[in-house]
Amino acid sequence: MIAPASPTPYLSVVATARNDNHGGDLLGRMNLFINGLMQQAERFRLPLELILVEWNPPEDKPGLHEALQLPERGQYGTIRFITVPHDTHRRFDHSDALPLFQMIGKNVGIRRARGEFVLATNIDLLFSHQLIQYIARKKLRHDRMVRVDRTDVAEGVPTNGSLDEQLAWCEQNIIRVNGRDATLDLRTSDEHRIYHPMDRRAWLLEKLQDWDLVPVVTRKRLHLNGCGDFTLLHRDRWARLRGYPEFEMFSMHLDSVLCTAAYFSGCREQVLQPPMRCYHVEHAVGSGWSKEGEAKLNARLEKAGIPQTSNQQFDYTAKGMRRRREPRIYNEETWGLVKDTFEEVVHG
């Protein structure tokens, strides 16, 4: 089913997934994400489209547009499901061991986005009202890369509660803050409050010993910590950069390469401060990167023979961009599998 064209959205939100229960309760986390975003589109009158790229869907499971509990159609929000089939997936190296190429999937959505601005994100997030309200003012700049701290919350967001109740729960159940320079785990620190813009510097200096420092040094103080969960750029900037590097490997650091390239293309970084937050719902250790699950994740990738970019390799790449004072573009003009035609289902 192809729905009639709707007015051009101001914002395209792009994520990729498949119905494989990655990380545990995948559909539950996706329902929170989708319903929250669609409600906020209506509340703040923000014309947006959510593009969910379903990569290599399992043959024994229903498609995401069938499996998810989709909200009623609203005036401002549209959901587009784009399916990248198994036959396309198998063209890539390591496709037998890696069922989803996250960044190539995001590029598929970014390349087909209709919004003036495009947010690349993930499917297990809730956004604070203040963050969406800020975007809804429609004052985003073409020469800015917008970032925000990823705020990790415990499992157990009340699925039967209202969005306001869910966001209030997130605010009270923060376990980790992924800041520009470091990550603070509130479960191991004696500090149980989240910093505010006015006292951020003093608080960071006081609590520095409690933070796990981000290990990558680029000699440019960019916010690369959790950047795959929230990177917002103008559509023309995405096109100029040709999206994320389409390396046939696990996605580690590919988001950081994109953000670094955006900076050296002349795009200044804008880091939004609390109470503008993106809340990331915690999931199974080792299913994605975390300090606790890093060893488990690396062991799984090594056993499967799946390559990834190391800290040292990314550091070398980032410093090379700084030395040349220009971005490094990896993809051809056909990035985002633009020559392929994919099935699309539209809701809303």
Side-chain angles (χ1 to χ4, degrees):
M1 168 180 81
I2 304 296
S6 56
T8 301
Y10 180 71
L11 180 69
S12 295
V13 180
V14 176
T16 185
R18 63 196 300 268
N19 188 9
D20 61 358
N21 202 33
H22 178 75
D25 192 27
L26 177 70
L27 295 178
R29 287 180 285 128
M30 289 189 72
N31 283 327
L32 284 173
F33 168 65
I34 294 170
N35 283 276
L37 187 61
M38 292 299 108
Q39 287 185 49
Q40 289 171 324
E42 300 302 316
R43 179 179 298 202
F44 300 112
R45 300 181 179 181
L46 172 60
L48 65 77
E49 62 176 5
L50 170 59
I51 302 176
L52 288 172
V53 178
E54 185 169 9
W55 186 279
N56 182 31
E59 294 182 358
D60 60 341
K61 298 287 182 64
L64 290 175
H65 68 280
E66 299 172 313
L68 291 165
Q69 299 174 1
L70 299 178
E72 294 183 3
R73 300 181 182 186
Q75 181 178 354
Y76 292 93
T78 299
I79 307 172
R80 298 168 57 192
F81 294 89
I82 299 175
T83 301
V84 178
H86 178 70
D87 286 346
T88 302
H89 170 74
R90 65 185 297 184
R91 298 192 327 226
F92 297 96
D93 290 341
H94 310 291
S95 59
D96 289 341
L98 188 61
L100 187 151
F101 291 95
Q102 181 186 152
M103 298 314 184
I104 303 176
K106 286 184 178 180
N107 279 356
V108 168
I110 293 166
R111 191 73 196 260
R112 291 159 178 78
R114 298 185 296 116
E116 182 178 356
F117 290 88
V118 180
L119 168 62
T121 186
N122 289 318
I123 51 80
D124 43 15
L125 301 172
L126 284 170
F127 303 120
S128 70
H129 286 326
Q130 294 89 342
L131 177 56
I132 299 302
Q133 189 174 27
Y134 175 84
I135 297 172
R137 294 171 185 162
K138 298 183 180 179
K139 293 184 179 181
L140 298 175
R141 293 182 52 169
H142 294 207
D143 61 347
R144 293 290 186 271
M145 171 175 60
V146 182
R147 292 277 297 111
V148 65
D149 291 350
R150 192 188 84 187
T151 303
D152 298 334
V153 301
E155 295 180 271
V157 179
T159 56
N160 294 327
S162 67
L163 178 57
D164 290 343
E165 290 171 338
Q166 290 168 353
L167 290 174
W169 188 94
C170 288
E171 181 68 19
Q172 295 301 316
N173 289 274
I174 296 171
I175 60 176
R176 200 182 296 110
V177 180
N178 301 276
R180 183 198 297 267
D181 300 302
T183 295
L184 174 64
D185 192 328
L186 298 183
R187 298 167 298 182
T188 58
S189 170
D190 59 359
E191 180 63 57
H192 296 290
R193 66 183 177 90
I194 298 302
Y195 60 77
H196 296 280
M198 295 302 294
D199 63 354
R200 182 175 191 269
R201 179 175 175 81
W203 183 74
L204 284 176
L205 291 174
E206 175 187 351
K207 301 305 302 177
L208 186 60
Q209 66 271 21
D210 295 321
W211 290 66
D212 295 313
L213 297 182
V214 176
V216 178
V217 179
T218 65
R219 298 186 184 178
K220 282 293 180 182
R221 193 167 169 262
L222 298 178
H223 191 335
L224 305 179
N225 196 3
C227 55
D229 289 277
F230 194 99
T231 301
L232 196 162
L233 295 163
H234 189 268
R235 58 176 297 119
D236 292 344
R237 187 69 59 169
W238 283 108
R240 178 177 175 182
L241 298 169
R242 298 180 183 173
Y244 293 101
E246 295 185 344
F247 298 158
E248 298 169 32
M249 59 171 57
F250 184 70
S251 58
M252 180 66 71
H253 288 314
L254 301 186
D255 46 4
S256 298
V257 173
L258 179 280
C259 289
T260 306
Y263 178 86
F264 287 106
S265 74
C267 196
R268 288 186 57 189
E269 183 183 69
Q270 178 183 6
V271 180
L272 303 179
Q273 300 296 333
M276 291 181 278
R277 297 196 178 105
C278 76
Y279 296 106
H280 169 256
V281 181
E282 192 82 342
H283 49 81
V285 172
S287 57
W289 189 92
S290 66
K291 180 186 177 184
E292 298 91 336
E294 181 177 20
K296 185 176 181 180
L297 172 64
N298 289 339
R300 176 169 62 86
L301 295 176
E302 184 176 357
K303 181 178 180 180
I306 301 171
Q308 62 175 317
T309 302
S310 68
N311 291 347
Q312 294 76 17
Q313 288 169 330
F314 167 65
D315 206 28
Y316 177 83
T317 297
K319 290 175 180 176
M321 287 191 240
R322 179 181 184 272
R323 185 168 55 252
R324 295 188 301 271
R325 298 185 180 276
E326 63 182 19
R328 184 169 182 180
I329 308 299
Y330 290 92
N331 298 333
E332 302 293 333
E333 293 182 357
T334 55
W335 68 278
L337 302 180
V338 71
K339 291 186 176 182
D340 291 80
T341 300
F342 300 122
E343 178 184 352
E344 180 173 339
V345 175
V346 179
H347 176 86

